[in-house]
Amino acid sequence: MSYLISCRYTVVPFSDVVLPPLSSKVVKFVVDVRGGRVGELSRSSMPFKPLSISPLFLGGSPLISFRVGGPPLSVRGGTPLTTYLSVVFSDYGLVDELTSLEGVYDTPYGRFRFNVDSLEVVDVRALGLGLTKFFRVDFITPTVLTSKYMLPPTLKSRSRSLPEKHRLVPQPSLIFSYLLRLWNSVVSPGERIPNTCASDWEAYKLGRLSDIALVEVSYRLRPVSVVIGRDVKGRLRIAKGFKGWVTYECLSSKLLQVYDKLLALATYLGIGRSRGIGLGLVRVKTYNTKTNDSS
Amino acid sequence: MSYLISCRYTVVPFSDVVLPPLSSKVVKFVVDVRGGRVGELSRSSMPFKPLSISPLFLGGSPLISFRVGGPPLSVRGGTPLTTYLSVVFSDYGLVDELTSLEGVYDTPYGRFRFNVDSLEVVDVRALGLGLTKFFRVDFITPTVLTSKYMLPPTLKSRSRSLPEKHRLVPQPSLIFSYLLRLWNSVVSPGERIPNTCASDWEAYKLGRLSDIALVEVSYRLRPVSVVIGRDVKGRLRIAKGFKGWVTYECLSSKLLQVYDKLLALATYLGIGRSRGIGLGLVRVKTYNTKTNDSS
């Protein structure tokens, strides 16, 4: 049995601080230092890892710097920030590890106090958003998708020889083939979709169907670049992705049930590359066609 | 042997006029009244028809009303407007038909003078833009794509039972599977891509490859609605599509040669639904990565 464990922290810097371009690095530093199984996961480079550390939020806005070479992110001492740490695990004991992150930490970015705000534990079988035919996906942090997500499984062995390129528009096939593989990687075999024997073909097929079953009703999107760190030679590593929102109409009530679960997971673990450090975070809600869509 | 024939006209209203929401209707009225083979094509509802009538342009901007219920398009008497009429045909005689459109016409929208500005005749085998790896596509009139363009040919018989829904983001597969089918429909059998025997499968396969071979480098896009007329019951017919531009990087030099030809055709005949009345018109140019992309 797998649980989704999500913990919200208030993070307060003791003095004025300059944050890294991707502010989740502050939280990741603390998680890595504390170690344990969560620290191990955070440091791991495994694909589809069952963990996401969100950026620091200031009043609902994620603190991420989009302008390469622009002014750095800075926050006044004493300002309360928020962050979320989400993990899917079959071990209830992780709850203690997450709550015990409370404390005061000296980081390369300054001194911070971490307090647990709230803790949510959900059986993955109960995950769902209750979506109806029209729903809206807000990509609240930059989302990075690559066309490799829709490589037919028979060509998997040649995947490494293909260039790693990012697609800058949210194509349903890329989103849902990714999410089904994520789901089936993080849950116990008995909770896989559609069943225990699910392979990469199920993800590929769901992707293919999604480009037919989902149509955009409206959207506002823009491409963004984000500094995600430095490589071994000290050069900036920049990821290209997109931000914004899309309202979809789902033409298949059968697939809607699958999307409902996958998107519920995505609101905790994110979508696409660098989820572990808070990229690809989404909010999803049923869209009332009578409300204005321009917000 | 097939030729692309494109004629540019200056159209001047004699007095102040109120134009229809899609101003190509003025030109279409004249073409339909004049009859001949061009008029016949214009009235035909055949799919992939080899003709496109552009909207009227005022100083480079297409005259199209996007606001349903907004103020109507109006133009002062004496203002010179421009329109383009493009046809692919194997009969050189069409040139006379196009040039003989010169004259004065009374239309339901007012009285207009048509003058031929320029005429271009190109052998379709010579069509090409000389694109390099990076190129930018400007969707200058609303472009309407449906997910049916990527329906596997084996499911073609079930196509009519699927709802007709428009996709609002330009997915490479939809654009290029459409354009290959358009190309192969309008040219002589010997000029088909990849060869005389080309079927719907080639279009499907090109589409599939295009979602891998083309990645967005940057874009600015927005969904738009446009009034394309009234149905038999007098209700407004509104098409949903998108406008804006996308810069692509092409990862396959082999496919680039195909895209080069197809996009050259698209600059005359457009892409997607309602091309005949000027939707889906594009401008395409090689993109110099050193130039700014924000225009």
Side-chain angles (χ1 to χ4, degrees):
Chain A
M1 211 160 11
S2 312
Y3 296 96
L4 179 103
I5 306 169
S6 183
C7 197
R8 190 175 80 184
Y9 304 89
T10 297
V11 178
V12 185
F14 277 71
S15 54
D16 297 359
V17 288
V18 172
L19 297 173
L22 196 53
S23 59
S24 51
K25 293 289 181 79
V26 175
V27 189
K28 183 174 159 55
F29 178 85
V30 170
V31 169
D32 290 0
V33 159
R34 283 299 301 266
R37 279 160 302 173
V38 177
E40 210 173 281
L41 272 181
S42 159
R43 284 191 307 270
S44 145
S45 62
M46 69 192 271
F48 302 111
K49 67 178 172 182
L51 164 133
S52 170
I53 298 171
S54 85
L56 294 167
F57 284 79
L58 176 61
S61 301
L63 295 172
I64 296 177
S65 167
F66 294 114
R67 282 183 53 205
V68 177
L73 291 170
S74 57
V75 172
R76 287 272 174 222
T79 310
L81 308 169
T82 309
T83 189
Y84 300 82
L85 207 162
S86 304
V87 198
V88 173
F89 226 79
S90 52
D91 175 2
Y92 221 81
L94 269 198
V95 172
D96 292 339
E97 258 193 51
L98 291 186
T99 52
S100 71
L101 271 188
E102 282 212 329
V104 174
Y105 297 92
D106 282 307
T107 77
Y109 317 102
R111 179 174 242 203
F112 295 84
R113 173 183 296 285
F114 278 63
N115 279 106
V116 173
D117 261 0
S118 66
L119 181 80
E120 201 182 345
V121 181
V122 192
D123 184 330
V124 293
R125 291 170 304 180
L127 274 177
L129 298 160
L131 295 180
T132 53
K133 195 175 179 191
F134 293 88
F135 58 86
R136 169 169 155 161
V137 182
D138 278 81
F139 300 91
I140 52 179
T141 61
T143 302
V144 180
L145 306 174
T146 96
S147 35
K148 287 191 186 181
Y149 296 160
M150 278 306 286
L151 203 67
T154 36
L155 299 178
K156 205 175 170 185
S157 59
R158 289 166 64 187
S159 170
R160 282 181 159 257
S161 67
L162 289 173
E164 179 74 37
K165 291 289 181 176
H166 299 164
R167 292 289 308 275
L168 303 188
V169 294
Q171 198 164 311
S173 52
L174 301 177
I175 293 174
F176 290 101
S177 63
Y178 181 88
L179 285 179
L180 188 58
R181 252 178 298 181
L182 176 64
W183 178 284
N184 287 340
S185 301
V186 302
V187 303
S188 316
E191 292 146 359
R192 289 193 187 134
I193 298 173
N195 55 47
T196 315
C197 312
S199 72
D200 282 354
W201 276 108
E202 270 69 35
Y204 181 75
K205 282 189 273 181
L206 179 67
R208 275 286 79 93
L209 289 170
S210 301
D211 273 350
I212 307 270
L214 288 172
V215 292
E216 298 86 10
V217 176
S218 189
Y219 62 86
R220 183 170 299 192
L221 292 167
R222 65 185 174 95
V224 288
S225 295
V226 57
V227 179
I228 55 173
R230 288 184 184 274
D231 65 11
V232 281
K233 290 184 181 165
R235 290 173 302 202
L236 284 179
R237 282 178 59 213
I238 294 169
K240 289 190 77 174
F242 59 86
K243 264 193 71 168
W245 56 263
V246 184
T247 306
Y248 289 104
E249 176 180 359
C250 179
L251 308 178
S252 157
S253 52
K254 197 175 147 201
L255 289 178
L256 184 59
Q257 295 170 28
V258 178
Y259 297 148
D260 192 62
K261 282 172 175 292
L262 297 183
L263 287 172
L265 183 70
T267 59
Y268 294 100
L269 292 192
I271 302 171
R273 290 179 65 95
S274 302
R275 284 183 304 102
I277 45 172
L279 297 195
L281 287 184
V282 293
R283 284 195 200 106
V284 185
K285 58 184 179 204
T286 280
Y287 175 70
N288 184 342
T289 44
K290 280 170 194 149
T291 355
N292 196 314
D293 208 358
S294 62
S295 66
Chain B
M1 212 162 4
S2 312
Y3 296 95
L4 178 103
I5 305 169
S6 184
C7 197
R8 190 175 80 184
Y9 304 88
T10 297
V11 178
V12 186
F14 277 70
S15 54
D16 297 359
V17 289
V18 171
L19 297 174
L22 195 53
S23 59
S24 51
K25 291 290 180 76
V26 176
V27 189
K28 183 175 159 55
F29 177 86
V30 171
V31 169
D32 290 1
V33 159
R34 285 298 302 264
R37 281 161 300 172
V38 177
E40 210 173 279
L41 272 181
S42 159
R43 284 191 307 272
S44 145
S45 62
M46 68 192 269
F48 302 110
K49 67 179 172 183
L51 163 134
S52 170
I53 298 172
S54 85
L56 294 167
F57 284 78
L58 176 59
S61 300
L63 294 172
I64 297 177
S65 166
F66 295 113
R67 283 182 54 205
V68 177
L73 291 170
S74 58
V75 172
R76 287 272 175 224
T79 311
L81 308 170
T82 309
T83 190
Y84 300 82
L85 208 162
S86 305
V87 198
V88 173
F89 226 79
S90 51
D91 175 1
Y92 221 81
L94 270 197
V95 172
D96 292 341
E97 258 193 51
L98 291 187
T99 52
S100 71
L101 271 187
E102 282 210 330
V104 174
Y105 298 93
D106 282 306
T107 77
Y109 316 103
R111 180 173 242 206
F112 296 84
R113 172 184 298 283
F114 279 62
N115 278 105
V116 174
D117 261 0
S118 66
L119 181 79
E120 200 183 345
V121 182
V122 191
D123 184 330
V124 292
R125 292 171 301 179
L127 274 177
L129 298 160
L131 294 180
T132 54
K133 195 175 180 191
F134 293 89
F135 58 86
R136 170 170 156 160
V137 182
D138 279 79
F139 300 92
I140 52 179
T141 62
T143 303
V144 180
L145 306 174
T146 97
S147 35
K148 286 191 186 180
Y149 296 159
M150 278 306 286
L151 203 67
T154 37
L155 300 178
K156 204 175 170 185
S157 58
R158 291 165 63 188
S159 170
R160 282 181 160 257
S161 67
L162 289 173
E164 179 73 37
K165 291 288 181 176
H166 299 165
R167 293 289 308 276
L168 303 187
V169 293
Q171 199 164 309
S173 52
L174 302 176
I175 293 174
F176 289 101
S177 64
Y178 180 87
L179 285 179
L180 187 59
R181 252 178 301 182
L182 175 64
W183 177 284
N184 286 340
S185 302
V186 302
V187 303
S188 314
E191 292 147 357
R192 288 193 188 133
I193 299 173
N195 54 47
T196 316
C197 313
S199 72
D200 281 354
W201 275 109
E202 269 69 36
Y204 180 76
K205 282 189 275 181
L206 179 68
R208 275 286 79 92
L209 289 170
S210 300
D211 272 350
I212 307 270
L214 287 173
V215 293
E216 299 86 9
V217 177
S218 189
Y219 61 86
R220 182 170 302 190
L221 292 166
R222 65 185 176 94
V224 289
S225 295
V226 57
V227 179
I228 55 173
R230 290 184 182 274
D231 65 11
V232 282
K233 290 183 180 164
R235 290 172 303 202
L236 284 180
R237 283 177 58 213
I238 293 170
K240 289 189 77 174
F242 58 86
K243 263 194 70 168
W245 55 263
V246 184
T247 306
Y248 289 104
E249 177 179 358
C250 179
L251 309 178
S252 158
S253 51
K254 199 175 147 199
L255 290 177
L256 184 59
Q257 296 171 27
V258 178
Y259 297 148
D260 192 62
K261 281 172 176 294
L262 297 183
L263 288 172
L265 183 70
T267 59
Y268 294 100
L269 292 191
I271 302 171
R273 290 179 65 94
S274 301
R275 283 183 306 102
I277 45 173
L279 297 194
L281 287 184
V282 292
R283 284 196 198 106
V284 185
K285 57 183 179 202
T286 280
Y287 174 69
N288 184 343
T289 45
K290 280 171 194 148
T291 353
N292 197 316
D293 208 358
S294 61
S295 66

